[in-house]
Amino acid sequence: MGLISWFKGLFKKSITVNTNTNSLVVLQNSKKKLNFGAMIDVPKDFVCVLCYKDKVADMFTEGRYRLDTKEMPLLTRIEKLTKQDKKGNLKKHFYANIYFINLKEFVDQQFYSYNSVYIKDKHYKSVNAYLSGKFSYVISSPVDFLEGMFTSFGVVRDGVAKNEISNWVADTATKIVQKKKPTVEKLYSRDTSCFENMVEGLNKELFDVGIKISSFEITDVKFPKKIYKKITLDYEELHQKEQKVYTGEQIDLVNPVRTASQKSFENQSNEVYLQESQKVQEEMQTKVLSTDSDGDSVVHTGVYQDFQQKNNQDYVNVQDENNNPELNDAEQESLIVNQYQAPIQKTLEYKKCSNCGAFNSKSAEICFCCGHKFN
C-alpha cells in the first residue's frame, strides 16, 4: 500500500509553471534538493532549463519528463551523479535551479538609454542626446539567453531579466545611431536616415544572447535644455522638401503554421487550375482563318468577333455617306444595297502538331508533315 501511495504522489508533485503568467523567466526550486524520479511538466510556449550554479545544463521542451541520469546527461556530468561513494552507493538526490522560459512575444516594452549619442556641432558645440522608445521581442534561444544573463547575475529573476534586456536594446540602439553620425537637426526631427535598418542591426548584435527583436520605435529624443532654446530647423528642409520621419520598424516572425497553410493553398491551386490552364493552352495553339468573297482574310487566335464588328461598322459608314434627303426611304435603301454587298464569310480551323509545330486541318488524324498521330 505504501508503494502505491508513493507512486501516486510522484505524479501529483510534479514541477510546473502557471501558463497564465506574463513573466519572462520563472525560477523554481532554487537551492533545494531534488530526488531522482521527480517529474517536470513543461506547458505549451515554455521551455524548462536545468542549471547548476551559473552553468546551463539540460533543456526540456513541451511535455512531461522524469528526472533521472538518462534525461539529464549534462547535469549528470557536471555534478558527477554516477560517481559512487566509499560504500559503493550512488547519490540519491541532486541540486539544480529550474528555470521556465516564456517563448511568447513580449510587445510594447519600454527602454531608456543611459548612454548618450554624442554630437559635435559647430553651431551647438557638444551635445548629448538620449533615446527612449518601445520594442517587441521573443526569446529565440533560451540557452544563449541564460548564459548571457549569468555573465552578470548568479541567479536570474524575472524583473532583473526584463530590465537587462531593456538595457541591451537601449545601449545597442545608441551605438547604431552614433555610427550614423547624425546632425542635431536630423536627430531632433527624427529623420529616417538616423534610424535606418535599426531592427536588423539590433538582431545582429543581440543574436549571441538569444534575443530576436520583432519591432522597434523611437518615441522621444531628449536634448539638453539649451538646445531647445537655440535650435532652428531650416525652413526649406521642413516645408519645401518632403521630410521623412522615422515611425518605427517591424518584421514578421517565422510562423510555421502560416507557412504550412500557404504551401497547402499553393498545392490546391495547382490542382484546381490545371484543367483550365490546359484548355487555355489548347486555344492558343488553334488558329482560325477567315476569308470572304472580296479576297480579304484574317488569322485569329481564340474567339473571333472583330470581323463581324468590322462589317457592321462599314455598313453604318455607307449609310451615313448616302443619306440623301431628296430620295425617299425605299430609294435610299436600294442605293445602299447596291453600293455595299456584305462579303460571304468562310472559316477554316487548324490545329497545331505538338511534334513538329505544323498546322493541320481540325479533322486530321495524322500530321501531313511528320506523320504524328493526334489524340
Side-chain angles (χ1 to χ4, degrees):
M1 191 67 179
L3 182 61
I4 296 176
S5 299
W6 174 84
F7 187 76
K8 290 182 179 180
L10 188 64
F11 286 90
K12 290 182 180 180
K13 298 179 182 179
S14 60
I15 303 172
T16 187
V17 66
N18 182 13
T19 56
N20 295 324
T21 181
N22 290 323
S23 299
L24 173 64
V25 178
V26 179
L27 175 60
Q28 301 281 30
N29 198 73
S30 177
K31 297 181 181 180
K32 293 181 180 179
K33 292 182 180 180
L34 287 170
N35 295 325
F36 288 101
M39 303 299 298
I40 285 185
D41 283 324
V42 184
K44 184 180 179 181
D45 296 330
F46 281 85
V47 293
C48 178
V49 182
L50 301 184
C51 302
Y52 181 72
K53 295 182 179 180
D54 58 350
K55 295 181 181 180
V56 178
D58 303 283
M59 185 178 70
F60 304 95
T61 57
E62 179 183 354
R64 187 180 181 88
Y65 302 90
R66 180 185 176 91
L67 298 181
D68 54 29
T69 54
K70 293 182 180 179
E71 294 287 347
M72 309 179 299
L74 297 179
L75 190 66
T76 299
R77 184 172 59 184
I78 293 174
E79 294 193 48
K80 300 179 181 179
L81 300 179
T82 57
K83 184 178 180 180
Q84 299 178 349
D85 58 13
K86 295 181 180 179
K87 297 181 179 180
N89 298 324
L90 295 175
K91 295 182 179 179
K92 296 181 180 180
H93 56 265
F94 60 94
Y95 294 89
N97 289 333
I98 302 177
Y99 291 95
F100 286 91
I101 309 298
N102 198 335
L103 300 181
K104 75 173 185 180
E105 182 181 11
F106 289 83
V107 299
D108 295 338
Q109 304 297 301
Q110 303 295 323
F111 75 89
Y112 179 84
S113 63
Y114 293 96
N115 297 323
S116 62
V117 178
Y118 177 74
I119 304 174
K120 191 173 183 180
D121 189 275
K122 293 182 180 179
H123 181 68
Y124 303 102
K125 298 182 180 180
S126 299
V127 177
N128 291 311
Y130 296 87
L131 308 177
S132 61
K134 57 184 180 180
F135 65 100
S136 302
Y137 69 95
V138 295
I139 302 296
S140 58
S141 176
V143 173
D144 292 338
F145 169 69
L146 285 177
E147 287 181 347
M149 296 295 298
F150 285 148
T151 57
S152 303
F153 308 97
V155 178
V156 182
R157 304 287 183 180
D158 180 66
V160 174
K162 289 182 177 179
N163 289 336
E164 188 68 6
I165 292 175
S166 177
N167 293 336
W168 287 343
V169 172
D171 292 343
T172 305
T174 301
K175 292 178 181 178
I176 293 175
V177 175
Q178 184 70 66
K179 288 181 180 180
K180 297 182 182 298
K181 297 180 180 180
T183 62
V184 174
E185 286 82 0
K186 286 187 175 182
L187 193 58
Y188 180 85
S189 61
R190 276 183 274 169
D191 189 276
T192 54
S193 60
C194 303
F195 311 103
E196 289 179 343
N197 302 321
M198 183 65 75
V199 172
E200 181 181 352
L202 288 170
N203 285 328
K204 183 177 180 181
E205 294 295 327
L206 300 177
F207 176 80
D208 293 337
V209 291
I211 303 294
K212 186 174 182 62
I213 304 297
S214 57
S215 65
F216 180 85
E217 181 181 355
I218 298 291
T219 57
D220 188 28
V221 181
K222 187 176 182 180
F223 291 89
K225 292 182 179 180
K226 62 178 182 179
I227 297 299
Y228 295 103
K229 298 178 181 179
K230 295 181 179 180
I231 193 167
T232 56
L233 299 181
D234 186 75
Y235 181 86
E236 181 181 0
E237 180 181 355
L238 289 181
H239 297 277
Q240 295 184 6
K241 295 183 180 180
E242 182 181 358
Q243 186 73 15
K244 296 182 179 179
V245 180
Y246 179 79
T247 57
E249 291 182 79
Q250 185 170 357
I251 63 172
D252 292 331
L253 299 176
V254 177
N255 190 331
V257 177
R258 181 175 59 189
T259 303
S261 300
Q262 292 175 349
K263 191 66 177 178
S264 175
F265 176 78
E266 179 181 349
N267 295 335
Q268 293 177 4
S269 299
N270 293 335
E271 295 176 0
V272 170
Y273 297 108
L274 178 60
Q275 184 177 1
E276 188 67 21
S277 62
Q278 291 176 349
K279 182 180 178 181
V280 173
Q281 185 176 5
E282 291 176 359
E283 291 180 355
M284 294 300 295
Q285 291 180 350
T286 301
K287 289 194 173 182
V288 177
L289 176 63
S290 299
T291 61
D292 54 45
S293 58
D294 293 340
D296 297 329
S297 63
V298 181
V299 179
H300 304 273
T301 299
V303 180
Y304 54 94
Q305 296 179 349
D306 54 346
F307 188 82
Q308 184 65 30
Q309 293 175 358
K310 179 178 180 300
N311 292 339
N312 296 336
Q313 185 64 33
D314 291 343
Y315 182 82
V316 172
N317 294 337
V318 171
Q319 187 177 15
D320 293 339
E321 292 175 359
N322 295 274
N323 189 10
N324 191 342
E326 298 180 357
L327 302 178
N328 56 32
D329 296 341
E331 291 174 342
Q332 288 184 2
E333 184 68 23
S334 176
L335 178 61
I336 293 173
V337 171
N338 292 332
Q339 292 186 2
Y340 182 84
Q341 294 291 339
I344 301 173
Q345 180 178 349
K346 184 178 180 181
T347 302
L348 300 177
E349 295 189 5
Y350 293 85
K351 58 183 177 182
K352 186 177 180 181
C353 177
S354 60
N355 185 34
C356 66
F359 285 92
N360 295 260
S361 175
K362 184 177 181 180
S363 60
E365 298 181 355
I366 301 176
C367 178
F368 76 93
C369 183
C370 64
H372 174 72
K373 291 184 180 181
F374 297 106
N375 295 329

